[in-house]
Amino acid sequence: MRKASLIKILVTGGAGFIGSQVSRLLLEADHQVVVLDNLKTGHKNAVPKGAKLIEGDIADSQKTKLALKDVDAVIHMAGLIVVSESVKYPQKYFENNVLGTVNLLESMKDTGVKKIIFSSSACVYGEAKKLPITEDAPLAPDNPYGATKASVEAFIQSYHAIYGFDATILRYFNPYGPGELHDPETHAIPNFIKATLAKKPIPLYWKGQQIRDFIYIEDLARAHIDVLKLKGFNIFNLGTETGIKVKDVVEEIFKIVGYKVPINDLGARPGDVHASYASSKKLQKAVGWRAKVSLTEGLRRTIEYFSRLD
């Protein structure tokens, strides 16, 4: 029998970069973990020992209801995440991210599971008119990926209103860290590090002038455990509250490794915003969470991880 404070949690997308880290922290806190993942982008060996893996898709009601058996809460991370791909294939992103989530919500309703934590994104804000970005900023996604996240947020809020779901929305800024193994990799920091270690030119959009809020994976994953106790409907930004130019991240990587490589200027990229960084004061006030790992330390750990892969 589980202690009253310990629960059984379904992590959708739990074989992915962030989902596997969240699953690990949940297990370390002695919760029971079920992972539902179609393994199209996730990795079976990323699922931590002790978690039960069900290979399946959230669009499959039968598999989803099987995964929800005796579950107390869902941490929903399954979804397509590549902004540039969403610009090319918006219908694919709508069907996977939005329709898939509605199927998950219906399966939760049918099985009596009424607690969800959703992995959203700072992309819902689009180009911010005021920095740092607070949760009451207007939603104006300027790419289909961000539009799917905003749509899913609205659906989850409606299930809170109609069916009494306890729901927490976490709007991620720019996660990075060890274990990021997307194929192809589209995120900045792992691409910068892998190019640097291979002594190849770094691919850089906008000459690195974009401002971003890079949050280390363990800090981000920890927030999901911190908000499990919350009830009602909540929305929180999840970032470090510090904006940094992407070109300065590249310089920090060079400083850590002790050498430089050339820059491959890729020009502009549709769907990107110029500047985005968070105010996370609302989350700090609600549960005491704050980012602990500095960018320099996080980059050092990530470089060490990718160095060991070579």
Side-chain angles (χ1 to χ4, degrees), residues 61 65 68 102-114 159 163 165:
S61 297
K65 288 178 181 178
L68 285 165
V102 172
N103 185 74
L104 171 65
L105 293 169
E106 281 293 290
S107 296
M108 289 175 64
K109 174 173 66 71
D110 292 345
T111 54
V113 181
K114 292 190 174 183
Y159 275 70
Y163 304 113
F165 278 32

Side-chain angles (χ1 to χ4, degrees), residues 2 6 28 38 74 147 160 164 181 184 212 214 242 251 255 279 308:
R2 300 195 301 273
L6 300 178
E28 288 177 2
N38 62 19
V74 173
H160 161 72
L181 296 170
R212 295 291 183 266
F214 292 100
T242 302
E251 288 300 323
K255 193 182 301 181
S279 166
R308 291 195 299 270

Side-chain angles (χ1 to χ4, degrees), residues 73-139:
V74 173
I75 298 180
H76 177 33
M77 299 183 160
L80 300 175
I81 62 170
V82 182
V83 169
S84 57
E85 184 186 47
S86 79
V87 173
K88 290 182 180 178
Y89 307 109
Q91 185 172 345
K92 174 182 175 181
Y93 271 65
F94 172 76
E95 290 171 353
N96 189 92
N97 293 2
V98 182
L99 294 184
T101 299
V102 172
N103 185 74
L104 171 65
L105 293 169
E106 281 293 290
S107 296
M108 289 175 64
K109 174 173 66 71
D110 292 345
T111 54
V113 181
K114 292 190 174 183
K115 189 177 190 70
I116 186 168
I117 296 165
F118 173 57
S119 304
S120 190
S121 168
C123 283
V124 299
Y125 295 116
E127 190 70 64
K129 292 180 172 59
K130 184 179 177 184
L131 295 168
I133 300 171
T134 56
E135 290 84 353
D136 58 0
L139 302 192

Side-chain angles (χ1 to χ4, degrees), residues 18 29 31 43 65 73 81 84 87-88 129 138 144 158 167 172 176 189-190 214 235 246 260 268 276 293 295:
I18 300 172
H31 296 297
H43 303 270
K65 288 178 181 178
I81 62 170
S84 57
V87 173
K88 290 182 180 178
K129 292 180 172 59
S158 73
Y172 301 171
Y176 74 98
I189 285 180
F214 292 100
I235 297 176
V246 172
K260 295 187 177 187
S276 175
V293 180
L295 181 65

Side-chain angles (χ1 to χ4, degrees), residues 53 75 96 166 168 171 245 254 263 268 280:
L53 172 63
I75 298 180
N96 189 92
D166 290 322
T168 296
R171 291 174 178 162
K245 284 188 177 181
F254 291 165
I263 300 297
S280 292

